[in-house]
């Protein structure tokens, strides 16, 4: 019998998102699960009960939902249900159930122990490793993308002018100047939104590798005259040295007096948010300026920010909303639900409605924080790659021998003498082949060998430009193939050759036109 996935209504203050949408319900059903949704669970995200029913979900009351939940999908961690005698959701779930939501395991050790005590498996969607294979499950990036966009919307609501510059009969309006601190997913989203509205955008990040990303979006990347790499693990920034922070604060103090809007996104996982905008910087800002602090939930990057409040200090509005994605509830729910579907699909290898947690899988092991009554957070560190021979030699010097030892040198298979031998053998084989093979065969074989050398030189000298190197190589191969096919397509003596040539033209055309289509899409991404 398939397991039951339950979707309760979120009861957290100001939370409007829901962990499943009608679209995601259909995909969960395709994985073989039975899906039950609490009545009005998606009402605040504009998803009606009827929409869930049409998708195939069963609508039930909260009292009936929890006892039958084999898997509970939520946005937030377990909460008390005042409508169910104030009981915690963990007390309402059956033993061995699986709970999947945002859990912040690095900051919630007591909560993990509660899961273990109740024998309930817990998977933290925010602990999914940030690797290429797991991008489709990266709910942190999905929500950060929305938060960055919404930060600009909130700032524009309180800012008293246009973002774009205008020259009108009534006078000239200068463009707004926006500073984005932190160029991660949220920061890049904020840069894109502010730039599209016509603002002059500047950005700062401690990680030098994001410089090109910032510039590609049309923003100015602010750099310090101080060399230190802020790249940490998992795509996050790391904590910087005091000297770097001093130089950084001097830059922010200078920028605060110039810009109209500051959006801060700086967070270090498992630690309070670093204080980057101090009171004297706020005081130096122009009247009517706005600060949006996306780190307010962890203490804030601005020392005057207050969680879930908008405060005005020294004529500057400081926005400290901690749940900006909830202010775009329908879009956030759709993206988050899709992330959950991908995670559940990983846990359902047979697509038969049976959830299997594979602790040997890197993604599943990283997300699983409690398993079979045991806290499994943090996951083991991935094994380091073996050091190169040069590094080993440098790290562990060989002791000096008492007497010089004569060491046998490994044979070089591609030395000059070896290559002469290879050519001699190849030439001999060709002479023997030519003495017994028909003349036509030798002629065509010679052309074949020449085509290999010419083709190799042509293909590997193609510049990939906007294509990936792999795409450029495959397109080059396809171009050579299609030229040969076009020469053979009108062969008068063989219908078979003509048909095969036409098939070759058709197949290679798909690859060539596909490459141009991808290039067009890439160019469109960077078009203003």
């Amino acid at each position: 019998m398939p397991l039951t996935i339950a979707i309760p209504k979120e009861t957290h203050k100001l939370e409007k998102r829901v962990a499943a949408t009608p679209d995601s319900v259909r995909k969960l059903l395709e994985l073989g699960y039975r899906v039950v949704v609490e009545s009005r669970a998606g009402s605040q995200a504009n998803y009606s009960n009827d929409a869930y029913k049409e998708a195939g979900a069963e609508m039930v009351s909260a009292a009936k939902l929890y006892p039958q939940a084999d898997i509970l999908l939520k946005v937030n961690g377990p909460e008390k249900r005042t409508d169910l005698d104030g009981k915690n959701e963990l007390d309402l779930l059956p033993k061995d159930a699986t709970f999947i939501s945002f859990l912040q395991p690095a900051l919630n050790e007591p909560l993990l122990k509660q899961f273990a005590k109740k024998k309930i498996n817990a998977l933290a969607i925010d602990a999914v490793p940030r690797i290429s294979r797991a991008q489709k499950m990266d709910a942190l990036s999905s929500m950060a993308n929305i938060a960055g966009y919404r930060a600009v919307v909130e700032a524009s609501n309180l800012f008293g002018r246009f973002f774009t510059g205008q020259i009108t009969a009534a006078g000239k309006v200068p463009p707004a100047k926006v500073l984005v601190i932190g160029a991660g997913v949220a920061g890049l989203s904020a840069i894109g939104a502010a730039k599209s509205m016509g603002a002059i955008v500047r950005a700062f990040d401690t990680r030098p590798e994001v410089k090109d990303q910032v510039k590609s979006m049309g923003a100015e990347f602010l750099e310090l005259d101080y060399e230190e790499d802020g790249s940490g693990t998992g795509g996050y920034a790391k904590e910087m040295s005091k000297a770097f922070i001093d130089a950084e604060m001097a830059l922010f103090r200078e920028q605060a007096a110039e810009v109209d809007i500051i959006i801060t996104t700086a967070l270090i996982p498992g630690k309070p948010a670093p204080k980057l905008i101090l009171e004297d910087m706020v005081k130096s800002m122009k009247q009517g300026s706005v600060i949006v602090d996306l780190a307010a939930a962890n203490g804030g990057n601005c020392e005057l920010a207050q969680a879930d409040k908008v405060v005005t200090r020294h004529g500057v509005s400081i926005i400290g909303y901690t749940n900006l994605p909830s202010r775009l509830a329908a879009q956030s729910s759709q993206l988050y639900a899709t992330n959950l579907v991908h995670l559940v699909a990983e846990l359902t290898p047979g697509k038969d409605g049976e959830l299997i947690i594979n602790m040997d899988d890197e993604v599943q092991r990283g997300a699983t924080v409690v398993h079979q009554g045991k806290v499994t957070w943090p996951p083991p560190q991935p094994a380091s790659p073996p050091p190169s021979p040069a590094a080993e030699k440098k790290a562990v010097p060989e002791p000096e021998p008492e007497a010089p030892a004569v060491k046998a040198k490994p044979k070089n298979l591609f030395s000059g003498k070896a290559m002469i031998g290879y050519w001699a053998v190849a030439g001999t084989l060709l002479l023997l082949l030519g003495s017994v093979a028909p003349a036509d065969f030798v002629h065509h074989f010679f052309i074949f060998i020449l085509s290999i050398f010419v083709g190799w030189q042509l293909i590997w000298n193609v510049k990939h430009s906007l294509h990936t190197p792999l795409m450029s190589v495959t397109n080059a191969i396809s171009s050579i193939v299609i030229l040969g096919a076009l020469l053979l397509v009108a062969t008068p003596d063989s219908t078979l050759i003509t048909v095969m040539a036409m098939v070759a033209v058709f197949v290679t055309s798909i690859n060539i036109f596909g490459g141009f289509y991808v290039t067009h899409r890439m160019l469109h991404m960077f078009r203003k």
Side-chain angles (χ1 to χ4, degrees), residues 39 47 100 114 124 150 204 232 242 261 303 326 347 373 385 402 404 443 450 506 513 528:
S39 181
Y47 296 114
I100 305 177
Q114 289 181 41
R150 187 69 192 194
F204 174 83
K242 185 179 183 305
I261 295 168
E303 66 177 0
S326 183
L347 300 168
E402 294 180 0
H443 174 72
L450 285 178
F506 174 72
F513 288 113
K528 295 182 181 179

Side-chain angles (χ1 to χ4, degrees), residues 300-480:
N301 296 137
C302 176
E303 66 177 0
L304 299 180
Q306 296 183 27
D308 292 317
K309 292 183 179 179
V310 178
V311 297
T312 302
R313 297 288 185 272
H314 310 295
V316 177
S317 298
I318 305 169
I319 301 172
Y321 297 145
T322 59
N323 194 354
L324 283 172
S326 183
R327 291 172 174 266
L328 283 172
Q331 182 71 74
S332 300
S333 298
Q334 183 62 56
L335 294 180
Y336 179 62
T338 302
N339 294 139
L340 288 177
V341 166
H342 288 307
L343 178 58
V344 173
E346 282 280 320
L347 300 168
T348 318
K351 293 182 173 54
D352 53 0
E354 292 294 326
L355 185 138
I356 300 172
I357 300 176
N358 180 7
M359 297 298 277
D360 293 326
D361 182 271
E362 181 182 4
V363 174
Q364 297 180 37
R365 177 63 186 88
T368 304
V369 295
V370 178
H371 186 239
Q372 297 179 348
K374 295 181 180 179
V375 175
T376 57
W377 174 266
Q381 292 294 323
S384 301
S388 63
E392 274 188 332
K393 188 174 181 180
K394 185 176 180 181
V396 185
E398 294 181 3
E400 291 186 8
E402 294 180 0
V406 178
K407 297 182 179 180
K409 293 183 179 180
K411 293 182 178 180
N412 185 356
L413 298 178
F414 297 99
S415 64
K417 290 182 179 179
M419 290 301 295
I420 292 173
Y422 295 151
W423 282 110
V425 171
T428 302
L429 291 174
L430 286 173
L431 286 173
L432 291 173
L433 182 64
S435 64
V436 297
D440 286 346
F441 173 82
V442 174
H443 174 72
H444 287 100
F445 185 74
F446 182 72
I447 293 174
F448 174 70
I449 296 296
L450 285 178
S451 67
I452 291 175
F453 284 103
V454 174
W456 181 76
Q457 291 293 330
L458 285 174
I459 290 167
W460 290 106
N461 281 291
V462 171
K463 303 299 182 184
H464 57 265
S465 190
L466 286 175
H467 288 310
T468 62
L470 177 60
M471 188 188 299
S472 68
V473 169
T474 57
N475 272 356
I477 294 172
S478 297
S479 300
I480 292 175

